[in-house]
Amino acid sequence: MIKVAIMGYGTIGSGVYEVLDTNREILAKAAGQELEVKYILDLRDFPGSLVEHKVVHDFNVILQDEEVKIVVETMGGLEPACSFVKSCLEAGKHVATSNKALVAAHGTELLSIAREKQVNFLFEASVGGGIPIIRPLYRCLTGEKIEEITGILNGTTNFILTKMDKEGASFERSLREAQALGYAERNPEADVEGHDTCRKIAILTAMVTGREVNYEEIPTEGITKITDTDFKYADALGTSIKLVGSSRMEGGRVHAWVAPLMIGKDHPLYAVSDVYNGILVKGNMVGTTMYYGSGAGKLPTASAVAADIVEAAKHMNSNIPIGWSCEKLAIAPGDDMVYRYFVRVSGNFEDRRDMVEAAFGKCRVAELEGLDEFAFLTGGMKQSRFMENMEILKVELNAEYQKVLQVIRAE
Ligand code: HSE
């Protein structure tokens, strides 16, 4: 029997306990022996609950108990999570975490300690909630040169954007609902400003390049500027708007970014709605593969942690060579990346047709009844070219740059 400790008995931690309890036999068979939760570390007591007698408040109880071989970190945040995980690894305990902030900020060091101590630092649940994505990257796609990863990586924002798109719901109401369902971060700014997606694409980029990624170098834009009017245009154009994180590896350079993306019905991520996440991984031999499932929430995320516990149990005496080295990856500027662009401009299209065409040539145009504005969708062009064309448009619009109401990257 393997003894496990869970640090942090919030939404995910209690979910891990529930998964271990509900699927006890399945997990025991997969791990080759039974898994038992010996301790739960939390500030609270949970009187009258199933776990009451397992609760400890002192981390050292877990650290000093040699019987505890696997520690789950579901506390969230950087401290004390990082110090606790480090101490566990140094003490020769395996660690499974759902904490993407921790993995993105300290993954390099924690992976290196795990290697040195011949234990495992596992983080399947840190990206895509219940979707298997970390393991496919280091097992199934191990013979591939990965050229692109593009994903809807945040359940909360996808839930909000879906509600705005399909129900015309307000941003605030949708966010409140996502919080009530346990999808959102404690501070939802991390979701809506794109920081959570940024950390996840940084982890995936580090996984496929084998090098450390500084997530602060990834240009990141959230969804707070997306409005119901944008969705009306998207509908008129047969498209939708999703928050994506993307990394493209081309000619030895890696471009990564996080931003809203307008996509058409034929895009594989178009149908990824609500709390679901979808991740496209393009390899040089296999072509495009896609991973889909619940990107947030108690049991889906806990299920991924449970799978990591089994992975650790099956590799009790060895380190699985996963992750990245301390060699740093430079994120290249995105000037060369080719995209289309959705642009909204105030005023009547017929009055401004020449100006738009002078800057961008013929574009697909949409007008909504009752609005003194229009939108156009450009053809594909390099980001640098788009910026130049926008300057031309600005001059044509008599330098009233504020007449440009919205710009969204499109594919
Ligand atoms: N807040 C995150 C999300 C939780 O909504 O995707 C899962 O990482």
Side-chain angles (χ1 to χ4, degrees):
M1 178 176 298
I2 299 180
K3 304 280 182 180
V4 177
I6 300 175
M7 304 194 295
Y9 199 66
T11 306
I12 310 304
S14 59
V16 173
Y17 188 86
E18 193 176 329
V19 171
L20 293 182
D21 191 42
T22 308
N23 285 357
R24 173 174 293 276
E25 283 170 25
I26 295 168
L27 289 161
K29 202 167 163 201
Q33 50 189 314
E34 275 208 47
L35 304 166
E36 190 187 277
V37 176
K38 184 165 184 186
Y39 301 115
I40 283 167
L41 179 73
D42 205 285
L43 294 171
R44 297 161 292 178
D45 285 317
F46 307 104
S49 77
L50 276 175
V51 299
E52 185 181 7
H53 58 288
K54 296 181 190 280
V55 174
V56 293
H57 302 303
D58 180 2
F59 165 66
N60 287 310
V61 174
I62 293 171
L63 186 65
Q64 284 157 15
D65 188 333
E66 288 195 0
E67 231 192 354
V68 174
K69 300 290 183 209
I70 303 174
V71 179
V72 168
E73 188 279 303
T74 44
M75 305 167 74
L78 293 183
E79 280 302 339
C82 186
S83 306
F84 288 1
V85 168
K86 222 165 131 177
S87 301
C88 287
L89 294 170
E90 277 164 351
K93 299 181 194 297
H94 302 261
V95 175
T97 184
S98 60
N99 187 341
K100 55 257 155 162
L102 174 71
V103 180
H106 298 290
T108 311
E109 186 190 4
L110 298 171
L111 282 162
S112 153
I113 300 172
R115 268 176 223 126
E116 190 195 319
K117 297 289 173 184
Q118 285 299 295
V119 289
N120 291 290
F121 175 60
L122 300 162
F123 44 90
E124 180 62 69
S126 69
V127 181
I131 306 174
I133 180 64
I134 301 293
R135 211 144 5 258
L137 288 179
Y138 75 77
R139 286 213 193 284
C140 321
L141 298 173
T142 188
E144 287 290 319
K145 181 172 162 211
I146 304 298
E147 296 171 339
E148 179 184 344
I149 299 188
T150 297
I152 295 173
L153 299 169
N154 182 269
T156 301
T157 45
N158 205 37
F159 183 85
I160 292 172
L161 292 176
T162 303
K163 290 247 157 205
M164 288 172 78
D165 188 9
K166 305 270 187 290
E167 298 171 23
S170 72
F171 176 85
E172 290 75 18
R173 200 192 88 194
S174 311
L175 173 59
R176 274 199 301 277
E177 217 176 302
Q179 285 175 305
L181 289 163
Y183 303 152
E185 296 303 302
R186 228 171 288 162
N187 173 7
E189 200 183 302
D191 296 302
V192 298
E193 296 293 357
H195 304 315
D196 181 74
T197 300
C198 172
R199 286 171 173 88
K200 290 168 176 168
I201 195 69
I203 294 169
L204 296 179
T205 307
M207 283 296 298
V208 303
T209 60
R211 283 183 278 167
E212 180 182 60
V213 173
N214 178 357
Y215 62 86
E216 287 174 355
E217 285 178 18
I218 299 177
T220 297
E221 195 186 314
I223 62 163
T224 50
K225 293 191 189 110
I226 302 296
T227 66
D228 54 344
T229 309
D230 296 322
F231 274 110
K232 286 184 187 136
Y233 279 113
D235 192 39
L237 292 164
T239 63
S240 188
I241 303 163
K242 308 284 189 186
L243 180 68
V244 308
S246 185
S247 242
R248 289 192 189 175
M249 299 82 188
E250 269 176 26
R253 282 153 51 100
V254 178
H255 305 272
W257 53 270
V258 174
L261 182 69
M262 183 174 268
I263 52 175
K265 292 196 165 95
D266 53 352
H267 194 290
L269 295 176
Y270 181 88
V272 179
S273 300
D274 297 311
V275 71
Y276 290 97
N277 283 191
I279 307 163
L280 293 182
V281 181
K282 196 170 154 198
N284 67 333
M285 296 290 125
V286 71
T288 298
T289 60
M290 180 153 158
Y291 307 82
Y292 171 85
S294 291
K298 180 175 175 170
L299 294 178
T301 310
S303 165
V305 176
D308 274 351
I309 296 174
V310 170
E311 184 83 336
K314 285 161 77 176
H315 297 88
M316 264 301 159
N317 302 313
S318 62
N319 171 262
I320 308 161
I322 68 163
W324 53 91
S325 71
C326 58
E327 193 189 338
K328 294 193 185 347
L329 177 82
I331 300 295
D335 301 1
D336 290 348
M337 302 311 293
V338 173
Y339 289 99
R340 301 174 76 195
Y341 289 89
F342 164 84
V343 183
R344 275 172 56 202
V345 178
S346 64
N348 179 285
F349 174 61
E350 283 313 321
D351 295 344
R352 303 192 189 284
R353 178 195 288 271
D354 293 347
M355 302 173 194
V356 171
E357 289 181 359
F360 289 99
K362 289 233 177 295
C363 293
R364 201 169 152 207
V365 173
E367 291 174 278
L368 297 177
E369 227 179 286
L371 290 186
D372 184 28
E373 60 165 271
F374 62 95
F376 62 90
L377 197 52
T378 71
M381 64 187 69
K382 286 186 179 174
Q383 187 175 294
S384 52
R385 175 83 191 280
F386 173 73
M387 302 306 276
E388 285 162 23
N389 290 356
M390 281 301 280
E391 287 308 309
I392 298 172
L393 181 65
K394 178 179 157 183
V395 171
E396 295 284 337
L397 289 169
N398 290 325
E400 292 177 67
Y401 201 53
Q402 65 271 27
K403 284 182 176 170
V404 174
L405 305 171
Q406 179 67 289
V407 175
I408 300 174
R409 198 173 280 174
E411 237 180 31

